């Protein structure tokens, strides 16, 4: 069984979850979600500091936007994307 805790955005919550027996930390990058990780350096640093593999959760996102977000927030090779609703099409 793989356990993912999703909706993290606060650095204190990230640290608390890391002390639990979880496998993955989920970060939501959907602007309409109240749990969306703000696109600022404070929150980007918090996500990058996570000591568990990170999963970026995207809804109807453009592939280019997903890749930009992955780079900014450090969703590295150990992390993953979770796509909800599908990939948006370029204009």
């Amino acid at each position: 069984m793989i356990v993912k805790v999703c909706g993290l955005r606060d650095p204190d919550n990230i640290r608390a979850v890391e002390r639990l027996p979880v496998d993955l930390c989920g970060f939501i990058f959907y602007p309409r979600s109240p749990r969306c990780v703000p696109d600022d350096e404070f929150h980007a640093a918090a996500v990058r500091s996570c000591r568990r593999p990170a999963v970026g959760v995207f809804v109807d996102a453009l592939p280019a936007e997903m890749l930009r977000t992955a780079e900014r927030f450090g969703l590295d090779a150990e992390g993953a994307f979770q796509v909800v609703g599908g990939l948006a099409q370029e204009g």
Side-chain angles (χ1 to χ4, degrees):
M1 176 186 317
I2 295 174
V3 177
K4 176 182 78 160
V5 175
C6 201
L8 301 172
R9 45 179 276 151
D10 178 70
D12 292 334
N13 287 352
I14 295 168
R15 296 286 87 76
V17 167
E18 288 175 339
R19 291 190 293 272
L20 300 173
V22 301
D23 301 295
L24 304 166
C25 289
F27 300 97
I28 297 174
F29 298 102
Y30 178 56
R32 290 197 249 166
S33 171
R35 296 178 294 157
C36 183
V37 179
D39 190 4
D40 59 43
E41 188 51 38
F42 175 78
H43 288 90
V47 173
R48 286 192 303 266
S49 72
C50 183
R51 292 175 288 214
R52 297 277 190 275
V55 176
V57 179
F58 299 88
V59 177
D60 298 325
L62 292 168
E65 180 65 18
M66 292 170 55
L67 293 173
R68 183 201 70 79
T69 300
E71 184 175 318
R72 173 159 171 68
F73 286 86
L75 306 177
D76 61 16
E78 289 187 30
F81 293 141
Q82 178 179 332
V83 180
V84 179
L87 294 174
Q89 298 298 312
E90 298 281 346

